[in-house]
Amino acid sequence: MSVFDDPGLFGRLWAATYDGPGNPDPAPAVDFLAPLAEGSPVLELAVGTGRVALPLAARGLAVEGVEASPEMVAQLRAKPGGADMPVTVGDMADVPVAGPYRLVFLVFNTLFNLVSEERQAACFRNVARVLAPGGAFVTETFVPDPADFDRDEQVQVREVAEDSATIRLHRYDRAAQTFVRQTVTFDADGVHLKPFAMRYAWPEQIDELAERAGLRLTERYADWDRTPFDEDSRSHISVYRR
């Protein structure tokens, strides 16, 4: 199956190391999201290992998740509070739950893991279906910088040690706004591959997806601390409502 067609591939490859060092602190996201729930049920798409969902639930909110990877769900279940959190294994674009939810959120650039405009549009349509009236859909993504993909192909050296080496290769399709990334590690046990793909979009393109689904942008910030968003911002937190 192609990396573009397997929603659970990322989790199968990365679940065991997903909570390793270097990940962003979830606390600012939790502080931002908790008031939007207004004490009502919450849904996280691509809940992963529960980095945001579990501390949000610890504040007394009823949090549910959707996750394509059983391996990610297993990591969540092993954490305090994880065994009790309702999680549906499925494609987040389908939003395979009934709702309604006062808050739905999708963080860590994961919207772009849906690797076609059609699947991203389906995600917005299905979120609109399960949102309570006036409910909020919050997304966090990076703002694409064309300088990051000024060449169709890129090779980066990630790590070199006495007994291993890791390189990362990218191939971009700028017309389709997609890329395929392969992380390759060479060590005494052989060659290890971790493929990954994304379909990136600019904020105004995401706004268009929302509008087509009957949602409207009500707030946009550069980060979880509500720093004003401007032309120099490299990421955005966007709040859409029915």
Side-chain angles (χ1 to χ4, degrees):
M1 180 178 287
S2 165
V3 67
F4 285 100
D5 301 321
D6 186 352
L9 178 63
F10 179 85
R12 289 200 301 276
L13 294 174
W14 293 95
T17 58
Y18 189 67
D19 288 329
N23 288 313
D25 179 5
V30 174
D31 289 341
F32 182 102
L33 293 165
L36 295 177
E38 300 178 357
S40 298
V42 176
L43 176 69
E44 181 176 7
L45 300 178
V47 68
T49 61
R51 291 201 315 232
V52 176
L54 288 172
L56 201 57
R59 297 196 178 191
L61 293 170
V63 182
E64 301 177 26
V66 171
E67 173 56 51
S69 165
E71 293 83 359
M72 283 285 196
V73 177
Q75 296 289 327
L76 180 153
R77 296 285 185 230
K79 295 179 179 180
D84 299 323
M85 180 170 289
V87 177
T88 300
V89 176
D91 188 337
M92 65 178 173
D94 298 330
V95 192
V97 290
Y101 302 95
R102 187 69 186 174
L103 170 66
V104 180
F105 64 96
L106 179 54
V107 299
F108 301 136
N109 306 312
T110 314
L111 174 65
F112 296 165
N113 290 10
L114 298 169
V115 290
S116 72
E117 181 180 355
E118 292 76 15
R119 293 307 284 161
Q120 292 175 2
C123 181
F124 273 86
R125 286 196 306 271
N126 286 311
V127 166
R129 173 180 54 80
V130 302
L131 269 181
F137 180 32
V138 180
T139 64
E140 175 196 20
T141 69
F142 64 83
V143 178
D145 182 353
D148 291 340
F149 40 90
D150 60 346
R151 299 178 304 279
D152 290 340
E153 300 173 355
Q154 294 182 6
V155 180
Q156 304 167 335
V157 177
R158 301 291 293 180
E159 183 179 58
V160 178
E162 292 183 2
D163 56 357
S164 67
T166 300
I167 61 173
R168 181 166 285 178
L169 304 94
H170 289 79
R171 183 169 188 129
Y172 290 91
D173 183 336
R174 283 171 284 185
Q177 298 178 199
T178 62
F179 67 79
V180 177
R181 185 182 77 197
Q182 182 66 266
T183 303
V184 187
T185 298
F186 306 89
D187 61 21
D189 295 323
V191 180
H192 310 276
L193 305 177
K194 289 186 174 180
F196 178 64
M198 270 190 170
R199 191 262 175 182
Y200 53 87
W202 278 266
E204 58 270 20
Q205 293 177 314
I206 301 173
D207 294 347
E208 183 178 341
L209 295 176
E211 289 171 8
R212 282 158 41 191
L215 304 175
R216 61 185 179 88
L217 178 71
T218 59
E219 302 170 60
R220 172 164 287 148
Y221 306 99
D223 54 38
W224 294 111
D225 295 322
R226 291 183 168 82
T227 301
F229 180 84
D230 60 30
E231 61 183 10
D232 296 321
S233 300
R234 302 318 317 148
S235 63
H236 63 104
I237 313 300
S238 298
V239 181
Y240 300 95
R241 292 185 183 273
R242 285 185 58 183

mmCIF file with all atom_site columns, all heavy atoms in Angstrom, residues 133-154:
data_model
loop_
_atom_site.group_PDB
_atom_site.id
_atom_site.type_symbol
_atom_site.label_atom_id
_atom_site.label_alt_id
_atom_site.label_comp_id
_atom_site.label_asym_id
_atom_site.label_entity_id
_atom_site.label_seq_id
_atom_site.pdbx_PDB_ins_code
_atom_site.Cartn_x
_atom_site.Cartn_y
_atom_site.Cartn_z
_atom_site.occupancy
_atom_site.B_iso_or_equiv
_atom_site.pdbx_formal_charge
_atom_site.auth_seq_id
_atom_site.auth_comp_id
_atom_site.auth_asym_id
_atom_site.auth_atom_id
_atom_site.pdbx_PDB_model_num
ATOM 1   N N   . PRO A 1 133 ? -24.129 23.094 17.631 1.00 0.00 ? 133 PRO A N   1
ATOM 2   C CA  . PRO A 1 133 ? -24.296 24.474 17.160 1.00 0.00 ? 133 PRO A CA  1
ATOM 3   C C   . PRO A 1 133 ? -23.408 25.434 17.942 1.00 0.00 ? 133 PRO A C   1
ATOM 4   O O   . PRO A 1 133 ? -23.376 25.409 19.175 1.00 0.00 ? 133 PRO A O   1
ATOM 5   C CB  . PRO A 1 133 ? -25.778 24.747 17.414 1.00 0.00 ? 133 PRO A CB  1
ATOM 6   C CG  . PRO A 1 133 ? -26.415 23.390 17.334 1.00 0.00 ? 133 PRO A CG  1
ATOM 7   C CD  . PRO A 1 133 ? -25.404 22.443 17.936 1.00 0.00 ? 133 PRO A CD  1
ATOM 8   N N   . GLY A 1 134 ? -22.665 26.258 17.219 1.00 0.00 ? 134 GLY A N   1
ATOM 9   C CA  . GLY A 1 134 ? -21.743 27.174 17.860 1.00 0.00 ? 134 GLY A CA  1
ATOM 10  C C   . GLY A 1 134 ? -20.442 26.542 18.295 1.00 0.00 ? 134 GLY A C   1
ATOM 11  O O   . GLY A 1 134 ? -19.555 27.216 18.822 1.00 0.00 ? 134 GLY A O   1
ATOM 12  N N   . GLY A 1 135 ? -20.300 25.219 18.088 1.00 0.00 ? 135 GLY A N   1
ATOM 13  C CA  . GLY A 1 135 ? -19.089 24.515 18.493 1.00 0.00 ? 135 GLY A CA  1
ATOM 14  C C   . GLY A 1 135 ? -17.874 24.949 17.698 1.00 0.00 ? 135 GLY A C   1
ATOM 15  O O   . GLY A 1 135 ? -17.982 25.528 16.605 1.00 0.00 ? 135 GLY A O   1
ATOM 16  N N   . ALA A 1 136 ? -16.672 24.653 18.219 1.00 0.00 ? 136 ALA A N   1
ATOM 17  C CA  . ALA A 1 136 ? -15.416 25.102 17.633 1.00 0.00 ? 136 ALA A CA  1
ATOM 18  C C   . ALA A 1 136 ? -14.605 23.934 17.100 1.00 0.00 ? 136 ALA A C   1
ATOM 19  O O   . ALA A 1 136 ? -14.528 22.882 17.747 1.00 0.00 ? 136 ALA A O   1
ATOM 20  C CB  . ALA A 1 136 ? -14.597 25.868 18.668 1.00 0.00 ? 136 ALA A CB  1
ATOM 21  N N   . PHE A 1 137 ? -14.022 24.122 15.941 1.00 0.00 ? 137 PHE A N   1
ATOM 22  C CA  . PHE A 1 137 ? -13.032 23.201 15.376 1.00 0.00 ? 137 PHE A CA  1
ATOM 23  C C   . PHE A 1 137 ? -11.711 23.941 15.358 1.00 0.00 ? 137 PHE A C   1
ATOM 24  O O   . PHE A 1 137 ? -11.571 24.965 14.692 1.00 0.00 ? 137 PHE A O   1
ATOM 25  C CB  . PHE A 1 137 ? -13.439 22.779 13.968 1.00 0.00 ? 137 PHE A CB  1
ATOM 26  C CG  . PHE A 1 137 ? -12.481 21.823 13.288 1.00 0.00 ? 137 PHE A CG  1
ATOM 27  C CD1 . PHE A 1 137 ? -11.751 20.901 14.020 1.00 0.00 ? 137 PHE A CD1 1
ATOM 28  C CD2 . PHE A 1 137 ? -12.320 21.852 11.910 1.00 0.00 ? 137 PHE A CD2 1
ATOM 29  C CE1 . PHE A 1 137 ? -10.868 20.012 13.392 1.00 0.00 ? 137 PHE A CE1 1
ATOM 30  C CE2 . PHE A 1 137 ? -11.457 20.974 11.265 1.00 0.00 ? 137 PHE A CE2 1
ATOM 31  C CZ  . PHE A 1 137 ? -10.728 20.048 12.010 1.00 0.00 ? 137 PHE A CZ  1
ATOM 32  N N   . VAL A 1 138 ? -10.731 23.442 16.105 1.00 0.00 ? 138 VAL A N   1
ATOM 33  C CA  . VAL A 1 138 ? -9.428  24.097 16.247 1.00 0.00 ? 138 VAL A CA  1
ATOM 34  C C   . VAL A 1 138 ? -8.369  23.274 15.531 1.00 0.00 ? 138 VAL A C   1
ATOM 35  O O   . VAL A 1 138 ? -8.254  22.059 15.758 1.00 0.00 ? 138 VAL A O   1
ATOM 36  C CB  . VAL A 1 138 ? -9.056  24.262 17.739 1.00 0.00 ? 138 VAL A CB  1
ATOM 37  C CG1 . VAL A 1 138 ? -7.690  24.946 17.868 1.00 0.00 ? 138 VAL A CG1 1
ATOM 38  C CG2 . VAL A 1 138 ? -10.122 25.061 18.466 1.00 0.00 ? 138 VAL A CG2 1
ATOM 39  N N   . THR A 1 139 ? -7.598  23.938 14.663 1.00 0.00 ? 139 THR A N   1
ATOM 40  C CA  . THR A 1 139 ? -6.512  23.274 13.961 1.00 0.00 ? 139 THR A CA  1
ATOM 41  C C   . THR A 1 139 ? -5.204  24.000 14.232 1.00 0.00 ? 139 THR A C   1
ATOM 42  O O   . THR A 1 139 ? -5.180  25.222 14.432 1.00 0.00 ? 139 THR A O   1
ATOM 43  C CB  . THR A 1 139 ? -6.755  23.248 12.436 1.00 0.00 ? 139 THR A CB  1
ATOM 44  O OG1 . THR A 1 139 ? -6.759  24.595 11.927 1.00 0.00 ? 139 THR A OG1 1
ATOM 45  C CG2 . THR A 1 139 ? -8.066  22.563 12.099 1.00 0.00 ? 139 THR A CG2 1
ATOM 46  N N   . GLU A 1 140 ? -4.132  23.236 14.239 1.00 0.00 ? 140 GLU A N   1
ATOM 47  C CA  . GLU A 1 140 ? -2.774  23.790 14.370 1.00 0.00 ? 140 GLU A CA  1
ATOM 48  C C   . GLU A 1 140 ? -1.940  23.263 13.212 1.00 0.00 ? 140 GLU A C   1
ATOM 49  O O   . GLU A 1 140 ? -1.776  22.045 13.069 1.00 0.00 ? 140 GLU A O   1
ATOM 50  C CB  . GLU A 1 140 ? -2.136  23.369 15.698 1.00 0.00 ? 140 GLU A CB  1
ATOM 51  C CG  . GLU A 1 140 ? -0.689  23.824 15.835 1.00 0.00 ? 140 GLU A CG  1
ATOM 52  C CD  . GLU A 1 140 ? 0.068   23.111 16.943 1.00 0.00 ? 140 GLU A CD  1
ATOM 53  O OE1 . GLU A 1 140 ? -0.381  22.023 17.364 1.00 0.00 ? 140 GLU A OE1 1
ATOM 54  O OE2 . GLU A 1 140 ? 1.114   23.628 17.369 1.00 0.00 ? 140 GLU A OE2 1
ATOM 55  N N   . THR A 1 141 ? -1.421  24.155 12.380 1.00 0.00 ? 141 THR A N   1
ATOM 56  C CA  . THR A 1 141 ? -0.551  23.728 11.283 1.00 0.00 ? 141 THR A CA  1
ATOM 57  C C   . THR A 1 141 ? 0.558   24.755 11.080 1.00 0.00 ? 141 THR A C   1
ATOM 58  O O   . THR A 1 141 ? 0.446   25.914 11.501 1.00 0.00 ? 141 THR A O   1
ATOM 59  C CB  . THR A 1 141 ? -1.303  23.573 9.942  1.00 0.00 ? 141 THR A CB  1
ATOM 60  O OG1 . THR A 1 141 ? -1.709  24.858 9.474  1.00 0.00 ? 141 THR A OG1 1
ATOM 61  C CG2 . THR A 1 141 ? -2.522  22.672 10.083 1.00 0.00 ? 141 THR A CG2 1
ATOM 62  N N   . PHE A 1 142 ? 1.602   24.320 10.397 1.00 0.00 ? 142 PHE A N   1
ATOM 63  C CA  . PHE A 1 142 ? 2.639   25.260 9.990  1.00 0.00 ? 142 PHE A CA  1
ATOM 64  C C   . PHE A 1 142 ? 2.180   26.046 8.761  1.00 0.00 ? 142 PHE A C   1
ATOM 65  O O   . PHE A 1 142 ? 1.272   25.629 8.034  1.00 0.00 ? 142 PHE A O   1
ATOM 66  C CB  . PHE A 1 142 ? 3.966   24.546 9.721  1.00 0.00 ? 142 PHE A CB  1
ATOM 67  C CG  . PHE A 1 142 ? 3.965   23.569 8.578  1.00 0.00 ? 142 PHE A CG  1
ATOM 68  C CD1 . PHE A 1 142 ? 4.144   23.995 7.260  1.00 0.00 ? 142 PHE A CD1 1
ATOM 69  C CD2 . PHE A 1 142 ? 3.812   22.198 8.800  1.00 0.00 ? 142 PHE A CD2 1
ATOM 70  C CE1 . PHE A 1 142 ? 4.158   23.098 6.202  1.00 0.00 ? 142 PHE A CE1 1
ATOM 71  C CE2 . PHE A 1 142 ? 3.828   21.286 7.752  1.00 0.00 ? 142 PHE A CE2 1
ATOM 72  C CZ  . PHE A 1 142 ? 4.006   21.743 6.447  1.00 0.00 ? 142 PHE A CZ  1
ATOM 73  N N   . VAL A 1 143 ? 2.800   27.194 8.551  1.00 0.00 ? 143 VAL A N   1
ATOM 74  C CA  . VAL A 1 143 ? 2.571   27.977 7.335  1.00 0.00 ? 143 VAL A CA  1
ATOM 75  C C   . VAL A 1 143 ? 3.679   27.600 6.352  1.00 0.00 ? 143 VAL A C   1
ATOM 76  O O   . VAL A 1 143 ? 4.858   27.794 6.654  1.00 0.00 ? 143 VAL A O   1
ATOM 77  C CB  . VAL A 1 143 ? 2.613   29.493 7.618  1.00 0.00 ? 143 VAL A CB  1
ATOM 78  C CG1 . VAL A 1 143 ? 2.430   30.284 6.323  1.00 0.00 ? 143 VAL A CG1 1
ATOM 79  C CG2 . VAL A 1 143 ? 1.551   29.870 8.643  1.00 0.00 ? 143 VAL A CG2 1
ATOM 80  N N   . PRO A 1 144 ? 3.351   27.038 5.201  1.00 0.00 ? 144 PRO A N   1
ATOM 81  C CA  . PRO A 1 144 ? 4.398   26.610 4.269  1.00 0.00 ? 144 PRO A CA  1
ATOM 82  C C   . PRO A 1 144 ? 5.302   27.765 3.865  1.00 0.00 ? 144 PRO A C   1
ATOM 83  O O   . PRO A 1 144 ? 4.837   28.890 3.629  1.00 0.00 ? 144 PRO A O   1
ATOM 84  C CB  . PRO A 1 144 ? 3.607   26.078 3.071  1.00 0.00 ? 144 PRO A CB  1
ATOM 85  C CG  . PRO A 1 144 ? 2.270   25.705 3.622  1.00 0.00 ? 144 PRO A CG  1
ATOM 86  C CD  . PRO A 1 144 ? 1.994   26.701 4.706  1.00 0.00 ? 144 PRO A CD  1
ATOM 87  N N   . ASP A 1 145 ? 6.571   27.478 3.801  1.00 0.00 ? 145 ASP A N   1
ATOM 88  C CA  . ASP A 1 145 ? 7.573   28.444 3.343  1.00 0.00 ? 145 ASP A CA  1
ATOM 89  C C   . ASP A 1 145 ? 8.196   27.890 2.067  1.00 0.00 ? 145 ASP A C   1
ATOM 90  O O   . ASP A 1 145 ? 8.883   26.859 2.118  1.00 0.00 ? 145 ASP A O   1
ATOM 91  C CB  . ASP A 1 145 ? 8.644   28.648 4.413  1.00 0.00 ? 145 ASP A CB  1
ATOM 92  C CG  . ASP A 1 145 ? 9.683   29.686 4.016  1.00 0.00 ? 145 ASP A CG  1
ATOM 93  O OD1 . ASP A 1 145 ? 9.652   30.147 2.857  1.00 0.00 ? 145 ASP A OD1 1
ATOM 94  O OD2 . ASP A 1 145 ? 10.534  30.020 4.858  1.00 0.00 ? 145 ASP A OD2 1
ATOM 95  N N   . PRO A 1 146 ? 7.964   28.522 0.914  1.00 0.00 ? 146 PRO A N   1
ATOM 96  C CA  . PRO A 1 146 ? 8.519   27.987 -0.346 1.00 0.00 ? 146 PRO A CA  1
ATOM 97  C C   . PRO A 1 146 ? 10.026  27.775 -0.306 1.00 0.00 ? 146 PRO A C   1
ATOM 98  O O   . PRO A 1 146 ? 10.547  26.927 -1.030 1.00 0.00 ? 146 PRO A O   1
ATOM 99  C CB  . PRO A 1 146 ? 8.127   29.055 -1.373 1.00 0.00 ? 146 PRO A CB  1
ATOM 100 C CG  . PRO A 1 146 ? 6.896   29.691 -0.809 1.00 0.00 ? 146 PRO A CG  1
ATOM 101 C CD  . PRO A 1 146 ? 7.122   29.700 0.688  1.00 0.00 ? 146 PRO A CD  1
ATOM 102 N N   . ALA A 1 147 ? 10.728  28.507 0.559  1.00 0.00 ? 147 ALA A N   1
ATOM 103 C CA  . ALA A 1 147 ? 12.177  28.327 0.651  1.00 0.00 ? 147 ALA A CA  1
ATOM 104 C C   . ALA A 1 147 ? 12.542  26.943 1.176  1.00 0.00 ? 147 ALA A C   1
ATOM 105 O O   . ALA A 1 147 ? 13.645  26.457 0.939  1.00 0.00 ? 147 ALA A O   1
ATOM 106 C CB  . ALA A 1 147 ? 12.785  29.398 1.541  1.00 0.00 ? 147 ALA A CB  1
ATOM 107 N N   . ASP A 1 148 ? 11.596  26.306 1.882  1.00 0.00 ? 148 ASP A N   1
ATOM 108 C CA  . ASP A 1 148 ? 11.869  24.976 2.417  1.00 0.00 ? 148 ASP A CA  1
ATOM 109 C C   . ASP A 1 148 ? 11.855  23.907 1.331  1.00 0.00 ? 148 ASP A C   1
ATOM 110 O O   . ASP A 1 148 ? 12.369  22.806 1.526  1.00 0.00 ? 148 ASP A O   1
ATOM 111 C CB  . ASP A 1 148 ? 10.824  24.599 3.482  1.00 0.00 ? 148 ASP A CB  1
ATOM 112 C CG  . ASP A 1 148 ? 10.972  25.423 4.744  1.00 0.00 ? 148 ASP A CG  1
ATOM 113 O OD1 . ASP A 1 148 ? 12.058  25.989 4.965  1.00 0.00 ? 148 ASP A OD1 1
ATOM 114 O OD2 . ASP A 1 148 ? 9.989   25.527 5.504  1.00 0.00 ? 148 ASP A OD2 1
ATOM 115 N N   . PHE A 1 149 ? 11.229  24.208 0.191  1.00 0.00 ? 149 PHE A N   1
ATOM 116 C CA  . PHE A 1 149 ? 11.185  23.221 -0.886 1.00 0.00 ? 149 PHE A CA  1
ATOM 117 C C   . PHE A 1 149 ? 11.530  23.892 -2.220 1.00 0.00 ? 149 PHE A C   1
ATOM 118 O O   . PHE A 1 149 ? 10.811  23.794 -3.200 1.00 0.00 ? 149 PHE A O   1
ATOM 119 C CB  . PHE A 1 149 ? 9.823   22.509 -0.964 1.00 0.00 ? 149 PHE A CB  1
ATOM 120 C CG  . PHE A 1 149 ? 8.627   23.394 -0.748 1.00 0.00 ? 149 PHE A CG  1
ATOM 121 C CD1 . PHE A 1 149 ? 8.010   24.036 -1.806 1.00 0.00 ? 149 PHE A CD1 1
ATOM 122 C CD2 . PHE A 1 149 ? 8.111   23.560 0.523  1.00 0.00 ? 149 PHE A CD2 1
ATOM 123 C CE1 . PHE A 1 149 ? 6.884   24.835 -1.610 1.00 0.00 ? 149 PHE A CE1 1
ATOM 124 C CE2 . PHE A 1 149 ? 6.996   24.374 0.725  1.00 0.00 ? 149 PHE A CE2 1
ATOM 125 C CZ  . PHE A 1 149 ? 6.386   24.996 -0.332 1.00 0.00 ? 149 PHE A CZ  1
ATOM 126 N N   . ASP A 1 150 ? 12.670  24.599 -2.204 1.00 0.00 ? 150 ASP A N   1
ATOM 127 C CA  . ASP A 1 150 ? 13.125  25.288 -3.401 1.00 0.00 ? 150 ASP A CA  1
ATOM 128 C C   . ASP A 1 150 ? 13.697  24.330 -4.436 1.00 0.00 ? 150 ASP A C   1
ATOM 129 O O   . ASP A 1 150 ? 13.943  24.710 -5.578 1.00 0.00 ? 150 ASP A O   1
ATOM 130 C CB  . ASP A 1 150 ? 14.153  26.364 -3.050 1.00 0.00 ? 150 ASP A CB  1
ATOM 131 C CG  . ASP A 1 150 ? 15.387  25.797 -2.352 1.00 0.00 ? 150 ASP A CG  1
ATOM 132 O OD1 . ASP A 1 150 ? 15.334  24.626 -1.910 1.00 0.00 ? 150 ASP A OD1 1
ATOM 133 O OD2 . ASP A 1 150 ? 16.393  26.506 -2.256 1.00 0.00 ? 150 ASP A OD2 1
ATOM 134 N N   . ARG A 1 151 ? 13.904  23.066 -4.036 1.00 0.00 ? 151 ARG A N   1
ATOM 135 C CA  . ARG A 1 151 ? 14.341  22.035 -4.972 1.00 0.00 ? 151 ARG A CA  1
ATOM 136 C C   . ARG A 1 151 ? 13.360  20.876 -4.902 1.00 0.00 ? 151 ARG A C   1
ATOM 137 O O   . ARG A 1 151 ? 12.749  20.632 -3.860 1.00 0.00 ? 151 ARG A O   1
ATOM 138 C CB  . ARG A 1 151 ? 15.752  21.540 -4.612 1.00 0.00 ? 151 ARG A CB  1
ATOM 139 C CG  . ARG A 1 151 ? 16.814  22.629 -4.667 1.00 0.00 ? 151 ARG A CG  1
ATOM 140 C CD  . ARG A 1 151 ? 18.194  22.099 -4.254 1.00 0.00 ? 151 ARG A CD  1
ATOM 141 N NE  . ARG A 1 151 ? 18.195  21.490 -2.931 1.00 0.00 ? 151 ARG A NE  1
ATOM 142 C CZ  . ARG A 1 151 ? 18.264  22.184 -1.797 1.00 0.00 ? 151 ARG A CZ  1
ATOM 143 N NH1 . ARG A 1 151 ? 18.319  23.501 -1.827 1.00 0.00 ? 151 ARG A NH1 1
ATOM 144 N NH2 . ARG A 1 151 ? 18.273  21.571 -0.631 1.00 0.00 ? 151 ARG A NH2 1
ATOM 145 N N   . ASP A 1 152 ? 13.219  20.162 -5.990 1.00 0.00 ? 152 ASP A N   1
ATOM 146 C CA  . ASP A 1 152 ? 12.278  19.041 -6.011 1.00 0.00 ? 152 ASP A CA  1
ATOM 147 C C   . ASP A 1 152 ? 12.719  17.917 -5.088 1.00 0.00 ? 152 ASP A C   1
ATOM 148 O O   . ASP A 1 152 ? 11.891  17.163 -4.579 1.00 0.00 ? 152 ASP A O   1
ATOM 149 C CB  . ASP A 1 152 ? 12.134  18.491 -7.438 1.00 0.00 ? 152 ASP A CB  1
ATOM 150 C CG  . ASP A 1 152 ? 11.407  19.465 -8.346 1.00 0.00 ? 152 ASP A CG  1
ATOM 151 O OD1 . ASP A 1 152 ? 10.705  20.348 -7.823 1.00 0.00 ? 152 ASP A OD1 1
ATOM 152 O OD2 . ASP A 1 152 ? 11.541  19.347 -9.577 1.00 0.00 ? 152 ASP A OD2 1
ATOM 153 N N   . GLU A 1 153 ? 14.040  17.807 -4.848 1.00 0.00 ? 153 GLU A N   1
ATOM 154 C CA  . GLU A 1 153 ? 14.565  16.731 -4.015 1.00 0.00 ? 153 GLU A CA  1
ATOM 155 C C   . GLU A 1 153 ? 15.557  17.313 -3.014 1.00 0.00 ? 153 GLU A C   1
ATOM 156 O O   . GLU A 1 153 ? 16.309  18.242 -3.329 1.00 0.00 ? 153 GLU A O   1
ATOM 157 C CB  . GLU A 1 153 ? 15.254  15.670 -4.870 1.00 0.00 ? 153 GLU A CB  1
ATOM 158 C CG  . GLU A 1 153 ? 14.318  15.014 -5.890 1.00 0.00 ? 153 GLU A CG  1
ATOM 159 C CD  . GLU A 1 153 ? 15.055  14.093 -6.847 1.00 0.00 ? 153 GLU A CD  1
ATOM 160 O OE1 . GLU A 1 153 ? 16.291  14.041 -6.768 1.00 0.00 ? 153 GLU A OE1 1
ATOM 161 O OE2 . GLU A 1 153 ? 14.387  13.432 -7.649 1.00 0.00 ? 153 GLU A OE2 1
ATOM 162 N N   . GLN A 1 154 ? 15.567  16.762 -1.813 1.00 0.00 ? 154 GLN A N   1
ATOM 163 C CA  . GLN A 1 154 ? 16.489  17.199 -0.771 1.00 0.00 ? 154 GLN A CA  1
ATOM 164 C C   . GLN A 1 154 ? 17.011  15.994 -0.010 1.00 0.00 ? 154 GLN A C   1
ATOM 165 O O   . GLN A 1 154 ? 16.289  15.012 0.181  1.00 0.00 ? 154 GLN A O   1
ATOM 166 C CB  . GLN A 1 154 ? 15.802  18.153 0.214  1.00 0.00 ? 154 GLN A CB  1
ATOM 167 C CG  . GLN A 1 154 ? 15.386  19.482 -0.371 1.00 0.00 ? 154 GLN A CG  1
ATOM 168 C CD  . GLN A 1 154 ? 14.756  20.397 0.666  1.00 0.00 ? 154 GLN A CD  1
ATOM 169 O OE1 . GLN A 1 154 ? 14.730  20.076 1.861  1.00 0.00 ? 154 GLN A OE1 1
ATOM 170 N NE2 . GLN A 1 154 ? 14.257  21.534 0.237  1.00 0.00 ? 154 GLN A NE2 1
#
